[in-house]
Amino acid sequence: RQPAKTLWYDRPRYVYLEFCVEDSTDVKVTIEDQRLVFSCKNADGVEFYNEINLYARVNSKDSREKRSDRSITCFMRKWKEKVAWPRITKENIKPAWLSVDFDNWRDWEDDEEVERAMVEQYAEV
């Protein structure tokens, strides 16, 4: 087992995590109040496993994941909205497999509409 390369970014209401595994199978995502556990296999049968103790509490009931051919994206509703997360992990250490998704990282001003549209787009899938 090895950790999947993971990107994350922060939004006013949600925190997003993207596990970069192509052609994933056997995807399992468990989202708890302060922990996320992810596992899957890729086309070659390699097993991936990531466990993240989250920086702050999330609402596990209003959190979901979406699989595509290239990755699995999870979005987790923050318990305290509009509070920025300086990092995704509880511990102040950055695992080698984890990095910030700068393409999606934006300042929050005027961003709620964008976020709502993204969540609705995921919900339709």
Side-chain angles (χ1 to χ4, degrees):
R1 285 200 312 193
Q2 63 189 57
K5 178 178 184 301
T6 308
L7 299 171
W8 82 280
Y9 58 101
D10 190 36
R11 283 284 192 271
R13 287 195 302 258
Y14 288 85
V15 183
Y16 295 80
L17 274 167
E18 182 178 9
F19 297 101
C20 305
V21 181
E22 293 190 6
D23 303 324
S24 56
T25 58
D26 297 347
V27 175
K28 291 186 189 68
V29 177
T30 306
I31 297 170
E32 298 167 1
D33 288 350
Q34 287 208 267
R35 192 169 78 113
L36 179 143
V37 179
F38 166 82
S39 65
C40 76
K41 291 182 181 142
N42 69 7
D44 299 326
V46 177
E47 287 186 40
F48 293 91
Y49 179 86
N50 297 59
E51 187 173 326
I52 299 171
N53 290 313
L54 299 168
Y55 171 76
R57 194 170 169 200
V58 296
N59 181 347
S60 53
K61 291 182 182 57
D62 189 13
S63 302
R64 36 177 111 75
E65 74 277 346
K66 176 189 161 213
R67 185 195 162 280
S68 73
D69 292 342
R70 290 180 305 134
S71 64
I72 299 91
T73 303
C74 303
F75 51 104
M76 299 173 287
R77 182 82 177 239
K78 294 177 179 180
W79 200 257
K80 288 189 177 142
E81 296 187 1
K82 300 188 183 176
V83 176
W85 287 27
R87 59 182 188 269
I88 190 85
T89 53
K90 189 174 180 65
E91 307 83 16
N92 192 6
I93 48 163
K94 189 177 138 341
W97 45 265
L98 181 67
S99 45
V100 169
D101 184 345
F102 286 106
D103 291 342
N104 282 304
W105 192 279
R106 286 197 204 94
D107 291 331
W108 280 4
E109 288 135 35
D110 312 320
D111 211 25
E112 293 217 10
E113 289 301 309
V114 175
E115 183 180 41
R116 194 170 301 126
M118 281 179 70
V119 169
E120 280 165 9
Q121 173 198 331
Y122 279 120
E124 285 162 17
V125 173

